Amino acid sequence: MSTAVATPPPPAGAPLTKKVLTADHPTWCPGCGDFAVLASFYRVLEKLQYPHEKIVTFAGIGCSSRFPYFVNTHGGHFIHGRALPFAAGISLGGDDLHVFVFGGDGDGFSIGGNHLTHTARKNVRITYVIMDNSVYGLTKKQTSPTSPIGFKSKTDPWGALDQPINPMRTLLNSGATFVARSHATQVNHMTEMMLRAARHDGFSVVEILSECVEFFEGAFDAAIPRKGGHWVLIDEKKNDGSPEDAARHDVSDELAAFQLAGQAWPGKFGVFYENKTRRTKNALEAELIAKTREKTKGATDLALLQATFAKLR
Amino acid sequence: MVSPNTPEASGGASASAAPRSIKDVVIRLAGNSQDGIQAIGGFLARLAGRSDQDVMTYMTIPSTISGGPSIFQVRMGTGDILSAGDRADMLVAFYQHSYDAHIGSLRPGGVLLYDADHVKPVEGDNRFTNVACPITTGTIEAVGGTAKDKGKNIYVLGLIARIFDLEVAKLTQLIRERFGGKNEDIVRNALLAFDAGYAWPQNNLRDLFYRFEAIDRATAVSGRPQVTLDGNSAIAYGFLAAGVRHGAGYPITPWSSIMETLRTELPKYGGVFVQCEDEIASISTALGFSYTGNVAITGSAGPGLSLKMEALSWATMAEMPIVVVNVQRGGPSTGMPTNVEQSDLMQAIYGSHGDTPRVVLAPKNVEDCFYLAIEAVRIARAYSTPVLLLTDQALSSRIEAFDEPDLKALMVPPGPDRTERPADFKPYPLDRQTRHAPAGTRIASGKYPVVTGLEHDEFGHPTGSPKLHAQMNAKRREKIKALAATLPAPELSGDASGEALIVTWGSNYGPAREALERIRAAGVSAAHLHIRHVHPLPHGLEEVLARYRKVVVAELNDEGVYGFGQFATLLRARYALPSIVSTCKTDGLTFKVSELVAGVARHLGNATLEGLVSQARPSPLASR
Ligand SMILES: Cc1ncc(C[n+]2csc(CCOP(=O)(O)OP(=O)(O)O)c2C)c(N)n1
Ligand code: SF4
Ligand SMILES: [Mg+2]
């Protein structure tokens, strides 16, 4: 199974290529949208060229959450819905690490919904990719929090009854500082979105519509031109002073982002929102430490604890 | 500033007859929580610590957030103080309701000191020495102004200092330390109240004048001074000494003060404590810290522990080190959140899904909270395993004095080991202990590991192989067995064989040791075995248990459907001895010594012992 010793190690400092980054062969069904997300992620890492050992790929549970096995970086496969708080520990515990989390719509918006809200509001430096197939893939076709009303699943054979959540609105509302949307049939766009998300200093999320060919075929055809759909990109403001620029989307405008999020299905794709001013939890905690240590004049750990005990005499 | 009315000048203590010598005393202070009763207890505890006396306290917190009845019981004296004391030798009653609720706890011959402004004792009750002191008016007269009766607690402290001939200089120093730095008026008022209490006309106190026996510290000198603190603080400081710099948690009584202390302290040490959205996020974040090579802690009380169980299973499977504190309280559910219980033992050992061999440690007293916190972190690191530290509400708030730890020798350096791993690195080797390569570590082979909750091969790849699942299950089990082989023999005191062996775990240590003394004094051959490493159990216990006719396991949980407490059930399953029996209770309070003696007497069918329990023991304060 493993070839850990058989393959010659790459020379130190060798560029990160798709070959180096490839690990286990994906176990996804042929035609699953997640393959394209993986291919784009290799391209993102090839572009970023982070030190190999500083990249962490993490996930919860689901088809999409098998991702870390397929990427040759430090990584892990945690429990359903809890990858984000784990990743917060990674990010805050190793500030030089580049933390990527992958997961599904159930993992992120259902069982992990509250964690998504709180990781976002804390603005922990993490890049989170939600592979939304609007169904529970791994457990074989139950209704998911993004399944449209009327979707016939094993738990709603007559068609889903409950109002689905709006991922963009949910993310904006939570306080994520980078929110983007893409589609697994658009490799270049996905790559660009993930790249911008990775470069964002804060909690960045990309929701990628990634079709489950097994349990929700055609779910995202409405945005696939060769299937008669419309692929419409967000026209981002260029700040070039031109008259047409006034009508373009300002990614720092939260209200405009909410308006985009409210558009009819399949809506637009691109960066909805980016907040470059809010400070990360990583930075705030580091500042707290620096200020505290200033007061204690950088005393050693031993001296600090001795002083504490001296007060208890 | 100078105290305007020095005790010496008031002619208090020194003018009286020689004090009577006593070994220890139990003082119960009963009032409302806003009266600062805990502050008196705190002062007495700190004073005893500074005087090389032993001290133990017991505190009830009203379930209402503020106000309401509150007590603080302090036992101070010479030699080992093992328990907070079954009954009080002195009751200080601030209100009628305090008197009504607590007069029953006073031993015959004890002292009832009450606020004559508020309390009317039952007429003709001459079981006690009654001292009527107008505490409220006395305080108002002494302090005056807008402070009203604020400072009653310090007035009472003065009275107590006078009665027990306490060191005034040390007490006033403690008062200055406590109130100083705020407002000089506050220090001044406190000293005025103290002096007034101390100088309350001595003829009112009749012959109430005592002094603690001189202690012989020569036998047990560490050369270090005593420190006085509560169990939760001891755990937090233990973690700091153990090199823990990361943690995460969600508030719940009685765990919260550990996370509050760490949140406040850790930045000084360059560390981070995260307050999470819930207990699941807390253990997840802590595991994330551990994954970066910074062994982390989390904790909660029973309800929160239930939420952590799924992630704890992952930690066993992924072999990720973590320490989880459970400050046990009365359950099930929200239960009795401010009372003590030991009903989470089975949960700690077996509460997760799947086969999850893991380590459970239980501190025996406040000092042990500090040392077992260090031990828990050591084991988590060495065996790459989750470790549960099972403490309880009684230990969390109890204040005890103990020798200041030798920090220089104990401090463990923090920080991940990111040295490059060789090309043959495997995260889950079958023939060796797992030592994870923290994220950020180069692996010479260029192949990076995945930590996982799926059953896996040695490289962390998922596997459905039944053979590997069996092998990996065995690996996870055998490492815990390997730890068991290294554990020290538990503390055994008393007779090497005989009629009864009392077995305890957790905070029952002290009362059981005292119970043993009484049982043996009654001529019954007996011993006490106390277990700190609750799971896995140390080797050699079968041989110890077999030497006694009855093995009485005393614990604060229900006797269950089959008549045995949780630990007794485990011991019976493990050692298959019919001699193992249970003494259980769930009244939300720690064991009284007499309850333990009664339990042993019942199991032995020993009438003499039972008679001993019903005998009322007079207070050492009784007038002769
Ligand atoms: C605590 C818990 N509950 C339920 C499950 C079962 N489960 C595994 S994946 C999953 C949903 C997967 O859906 P999604 O997150 O959308 O991922 P997908 O498979 O669609 O990529 C569920 C319910 C689990 N593993 N753990
Ligand atoms: S079940 Fe659906 S989501 Fe899962 S691998 Fe197959 S196609 Fe992909
Ligand atoms: Mg899904």
Side-chain angles (χ1 to χ4, degrees):
Chain A
M1 205 175 197
S2 172
T3 49
V5 194
T7 22
L16 280 186
T17 58
K18 180 180 171 191
K19 188 160 171 274
V20 171
L21 290 164
T22 304
D24 294 3
H25 186 72
T27 44
W28 295 314
C29 308
C32 175
D34 295 351
F35 282 101
V37 181
L38 179 63
S40 307
F41 185 56
Y42 291 145
R43 286 173 58 177
V44 168
L45 291 185
E46 280 176 340
K47 284 195 201 297
L48 289 168
Q49 288 299 322
Y50 294 139
H52 197 175
E53 70 278 10
K54 303 272 172 89
I55 308 166
V56 183
T57 316
F58 219 82
I61 299 291
C63 287
S64 40
S65 293
R66 305 282 293 211
F67 213 94
Y69 296 113
F70 315 141
V71 185
N72 177 30
T73 62
H74 276 291
H77 191 210
F78 193 45
I79 56 177
H80 192 28
R82 324 294 178 189
L84 281 182
F86 194 112
I90 305 175
S91 177
L92 295 167
D95 207 41
D96 57 341
L97 301 172
H98 304 281
V99 186
F100 296 90
V101 176
F102 293 85
D105 40 312
D107 195 72
F109 293 122
S110 192
I111 190 166
N114 199 37
H115 304 312
L116 176 53
T117 303
H118 289 274
T119 313
R121 98 182 154 82
K122 287 181 171 157
N123 201 23
V124 184
R125 199 185 295 130
I126 294 169
T127 297
Y128 181 33
V129 178
I130 303 173
M131 295 140 88
D132 183 357
N133 53 13
S134 296
V135 68
Y136 283 4
L138 190 72
T139 47
K140 302 188 193 304
K141 204 176 189 177
Q142 294 85 15
T143 303
S144 106
T146 55
S147 299
I149 291 174
F151 170 63
K152 290 193 171 65
S153 71
K154 287 183 189 158
T155 46
D156 280 317
W158 40 79
L161 304 175
D162 303 328
Q163 166 80 34
I165 65 140
N166 178 324
M168 290 296 106
R169 257 197 230 152
T170 301
L171 291 166
L172 290 167
N173 214 32
S174 300
T177 50
F178 180 97
V179 180
R181 184 167 183 250
S182 191
H183 197 296
T185 56
Q186 301 283 347
V187 172
N188 288 338
H189 187 259
M190 256 193 298
T191 308
E192 187 202 328
M193 291 300 108
M194 282 197 265
L195 198 59
R196 282 176 67 177
R199 287 179 173 145
H200 172 77
D201 185 24
F203 184 66
S204 54
V205 193
V206 185
E207 188 218 16
I208 298 176
L209 302 183
S210 175
E211 183 176 332
C212 169
V213 291
E214 196 65 25
F215 299 121
F216 198 170
E217 217 185 336
F220 310 122
D221 284 0
I224 307 177
R226 71 185 158 80
K227 297 202 172 162
H230 302 281
W231 171 249
V232 185
L233 288 176
I234 292 168
D235 191 13
E236 272 182 53
K237 211 179 261 309
K238 298 194 171 78
N239 293 314
D240 56 6
S242 65
E244 57 271 29
D245 204 38
R248 294 195 180 114
H249 177 59
D250 175 2
V251 293
S252 69
D253 183 344
E254 201 174 1
L255 203 63
F258 271 107
Q259 268 156 1
L260 272 179
Q263 289 188 356
W265 183 259
K268 290 184 184 154
F269 296 85
V271 176
F272 279 58
Y273 181 64
E274 178 163 25
N275 181 332
K276 290 185 176 169
T277 52
R278 191 145 70 82
R279 300 182 66 197
T280 62
K281 181 159 181 73
N282 306 60
L284 291 167
E285 293 291 333
E287 186 185 83
L288 178 69
I289 290 170
K291 279 189 177 157
T292 315
R293 303 201 87 162
E294 224 171 84
K295 265 187 234 153
T296 57
K297 302 197 173 63
T300 63
D301 290 359
L302 176 62
L304 286 167
L305 199 53
Q306 278 173 335
T308 299
F309 272 95
K311 281 196 211 123
L312 299 168
R313 282 177 196 159
Chain B
M1 66 163 289
V2 177
S3 167
N5 179 13
T6 61
E8 282 70 26
S10 76
S14 48
S16 174
R20 277 160 54 198
S21 177
I22 51 171
K23 195 166 163 291
D24 64 53
V25 67
V26 178
I27 304 173
R28 180 176 291 204
L29 306 146
N32 290 337
S33 48
Q34 70 269 22
D35 293 329
I37 285 173
Q38 286 157 20
I40 316 179
F43 280 125
L44 290 175
R46 301 275 306 267
L47 173 73
R50 286 192 186 183
S51 313
D52 280 356
Q53 266 143 357
D54 262 303
V55 58
M56 178 180 276
T57 66
Y58 168 81
M59 181 162 64
T60 61
I61 308 160
S63 4
T64 44
I65 305 300
S66 76
S70 172
I71 73 158
F72 194 101
Q73 184 163 307
V74 56
R75 181 175 182 183
M76 56 193 304
T78 309
D80 270 354
I81 298 285
L82 292 162
S83 77
D86 286 8
R87 303 180 71 185
D89 299 305
M90 178 178 205
L91 172 67
V92 183
F94 283 77
Y95 304 101
Q96 191 65 34
H97 67 73
S98 330
Y99 167 83
D100 295 341
H102 295 285
I103 190 69
S105 70
L106 197 54
R107 280 159 79 175
V111 174
L112 167 68
L113 174 65
Y114 63 93
D115 187 343
D117 297 325
H118 291 295
V119 181
K120 267 200 186 7
V122 172
E123 253 175 80
D125 183 354
N126 49 18
R127 291 174 296 166
F128 317 110
T129 308
N130 287 8
V131 180
C133 174
I135 295 172
T136 304
T137 44
T139 306
I140 294 173
E141 275 168 24
V143 181
T146 51
K148 300 210 176 112
D149 68 345
K150 230 172 157 246
K152 277 199 294 193
N153 57 342
I154 307 297
Y155 185 94
V156 167
L157 185 66
L159 280 167
I160 292 173
R162 160 70 184 77
I163 295 171
F164 295 101
D165 196 22
L166 301 178
E167 293 173 79
V168 170
K170 281 185 180 168
L171 270 175
T172 46
Q173 175 60 23
L174 278 166
I175 291 172
R176 283 199 183 87
E177 284 172 26
R178 162 86 190 243
F179 298 113
K182 292 180 186 169
N183 177 340
E184 267 308 304
D185 280 354
I186 296 177
V187 182
R188 194 190 136 84
N189 288 352
L191 290 174
L192 284 171
F194 179 85
D195 292 345
Y198 193 91
W200 191 57
Q202 54 152 304
N203 50 337
N204 292 346
L205 288 172
R206 277 167 285 177
D207 65 339
L208 297 180
F209 190 36
Y210 309 91
R211 182 177 291 160
F212 295 108
E213 281 171 17
I215 19 164
D216 180 17
R217 279 239 146 219
T219 43
V221 248
S222 66
R224 294 185 298 276
Q226 293 243 305
V227 287
T228 313
L229 63 161
D230 64 78
N232 271 6
S233 303
I235 287 178
Y237 299 144
F239 286 145
L240 291 175
V244 171
R245 297 294 176 266
H246 295 79
Y250 187 77
I252 185 172
T253 302
W255 137 265
S256 302
S257 70
I258 297 180
M259 73 179 274
E260 290 155 6
T261 302
L262 287 174
R263 175 72 187 151
T264 316
E265 290 298 313
L266 273 174
K268 297 181 198 161
Y269 297 78
V272 182
F273 194 98
V274 180
Q275 178 175 341
C276 289
E277 56 272 26
D278 60 30
E279 285 85 351
I280 301 175
S282 305
I283 186 167
S284 303
T285 299
L287 285 166
F289 283 136
S290 287
Y291 172 65
T292 63
N294 299 289
V295 176
I297 72 104
T298 183
S300 188
L305 257 289
S306 289
L307 289 179
K308 293 181 195 290
M309 285 298 156
E310 186 196 4
L312 264 171
S313 238
W314 184 90
T316 293
M317 184 57 122
E319 300 197 54
M320 195 58 70
I322 184 170
V323 176
V324 184
V325 182
N326 179 358
V327 188
Q328 297 173 98
R329 59 188 217 181
S333 194
T334 311
M336 303 214 291
T338 56
N339 284 88
V340 65
E341 211 163 274
Q342 295 180 307
S343 47
D344 296 344
L345 178 65
M346 288 292 191
Q347 183 205 41
I349 301 175
Y350 295 119
S352 293
H353 56 286
D355 288 308
T356 51
R358 59 193 183 206
V359 182
V360 182
L361 311 178
K364 65 177 185 178
N365 56 25
V366 172
E367 179 174 25
D368 205 29
C369 285
F370 177 80
Y371 290 102
L372 268 195
I374 299 176
E375 166 93 336
V377 178
R378 183 192 69 78
I379 291 173
R381 280 200 182 102
Y383 295 85
S384 214
T385 179
V387 178
L388 284 94
L389 191 59
L390 207 49
T391 167
D392 62 43
Q393 182 274 341
L395 282 179
S396 72
S397 56
R398 172 193 295 171
I399 299 170
E400 286 176 26
F402 58 90
D403 288 348
E404 188 170 322
D406 183 0
L407 293 174
K408 216 170 184 169
L410 290 168
M411 292 293 276
V412 178
D417 170 16
R418 278 194 182 182
T419 48
E420 179 168 317
R421 302 301 195 264
D424 64 351
F425 172 79
K426 299 174 190 171
Y428 298 107
L430 277 168
D431 58 350
R432 256 173 298 151
Q433 174 60 55
T434 282
R435 296 247 176 280
H436 284 298
T441 307
R442 272 191 69 81
I443 313 282
S445 64
K447 293 285 170 199
Y448 284 85
V450 175
V451 293
T452 172
L454 276 172
E455 190 56 283
H456 43 262
D457 65 13
E458 293 184 279
F459 295 92
H461 300 280
T463 177
S465 151
K467 182 169 170 235
L468 264 172
H469 183 43
Q471 283 176 320
M472 286 293 174
N473 259 334
K475 182 198 176 193
R476 294 185 286 264
R477 175 220 312 139
E478 291 303 317
K479 71 176 183 185
I480 303 299
K481 285 170 70 177
L483 163 68
T486 68
L487 297 177
E491 186 178 342
L492 179 71
S493 23
D495 298 307
S497 66
E499 283 289 288
L501 176 70
I502 310 172
V503 178
T504 54
W505 64 279
S507 63
N508 297 336
Y509 168 77
R513 276 284 303 277
E514 274 193 60
L516 176 70
E517 282 163 26
R518 280 212 224 159
I519 291 165
R520 292 182 72 212
V524 177
S525 59
H528 171 219
L529 181 73
H530 185 82
I531 305 206
R532 300 158 70 231
H533 298 86
V534 176
H535 189 76
L537 289 165
H539 285 189
L541 292 187
E542 51 273 76
E543 185 258 323
V544 176
L545 302 186
R547 298 201 301 253
Y548 303 86
R549 187 163 74 81
K550 286 285 178 196
V551 175
V552 183
V553 185
E555 50 192 322
L556 298 171
N557 52 41
D558 190 61
E559 62 172 49
V561 177
Y562 303 117
F564 298 96
Q566 297 187 12
F567 194 49
T569 299
L570 288 172
L571 292 179
R572 285 175 71 87
R574 167 70 182 84
Y575 300 107
L577 288 172
S579 56
I580 298 174
V581 292
S582 263
T583 282
C584 293
K585 70 159 192 170
T586 57
D587 62 358
L589 305 172
T590 50
F591 270 118
K592 287 182 176 157
V593 175
S594 57
E595 288 169 339
L596 291 171
V597 176
V600 171
R602 184 167 56 84
H603 284 300
L604 292 184
N606 186 318
T608 327
L609 264 189
E610 283 186 66
L612 188 78
V613 177
S614 53
Q615 251 172 50
R617 291 150 48 85
S619 168
L621 303 187
S623 41
R624 285 162 301 191

